Amino acid sequence: MRGLLTLAAAPFLLVATPALADDHQSEAENAVKLAVNGFMNAISSDDKTDLADHMIPEAMIFVHNRMDPDNPRVDHLPVATHLENWATRDARYIEEMGFSSVLVDGDMAQVWGPYSFWVNYELSHCGINSLSLVRTDDGWKI
């Protein structure tokens, strides 16, 4: 009888396993979204050093710049340089981003979504963000 009970319970365990994986994935995705939201909030912060808490200084920023549709280009800038430049800015910045796709695999994540970037409460530009994140001892970083 015990063998029959074990066999009868086995299909339920198989069905429950993907749900557990989904819960774990949802936790990881939520943690990544929280990190991205923290990054966006740091852009809006009056303390221009807040942004450094959300980025890896050794990383590189790539921007597919399509402001001039006839002359699209890819701009790149080391994060360390971006942070130095950011600290000297004096306008009011706000970036808003939605989440179209959040992919997490272990300690790496990729987030895509539409964004709009505001300078002194006027729309400066908008498009699609593609953010790569890495889980560090201090949490997820851009």
Side-chain angles (χ1 to χ4, degrees):
M1 178 73 148
R2 183 174 183 187
L4 289 174
L5 183 58
T6 302
L7 287 176
F12 295 110
L13 292 176
L14 293 175
V15 171
T17 302
L20 292 176
D22 287 346
D23 287 345
H24 179 69
Q25 184 66 17
S26 294
E27 284 180 32
E29 287 177 6
N30 287 337
V32 167
K33 287 179 181 180
L34 250 143
V36 170
N37 286 333
F39 173 72
M40 295 298 157
N41 290 337
I43 289 172
S44 300
S45 175
D46 290 333
D47 182 351
K48 296 300 177 205
T49 63
D50 284 351
L51 199 59
D53 291 338
H54 300 277
M55 302 181 82
I56 297 175
E58 297 82 14
M60 183 69 72
I61 297 171
F62 293 90
V63 177
H64 185 198
N65 186 329
R66 295 182 284 187
M67 294 297 283
D68 177 359
D70 295 331
N71 188 25
R73 65 182 196 266
V74 175
D75 299 331
H76 61 281
L77 180 70
V79 167
T81 302
H82 173 69
L83 292 173
E84 289 172 11
N85 295 342
W86 188 258
T88 65
R89 294 181 174 182
D90 60 358
R92 179 73 172 143
Y93 299 97
I94 300 169
E95 185 167 357
E96 299 170 336
M97 179 178 170
F99 297 98
S100 298
S101 177
V102 178
L103 303 172
V104 181
D105 187 358
D107 292 334
M108 295 176 55
Q110 185 68 35
V111 178
W112 281 73
Y115 78 93
S116 54
F117 193 87
W118 305 77
V119 179
N120 292 326
Y121 304 101
E122 291 187 28
L123 182 63
S124 169
H125 58 281
C126 56
I128 301 294
N129 270 341
S130 171
L131 303 175
S132 297
L133 291 90
V134 175
R135 186 178 7 226
T136 70
D137 291 339
D138 297 324
W140 289 98
K141 304 283 184 179
I142 308 287

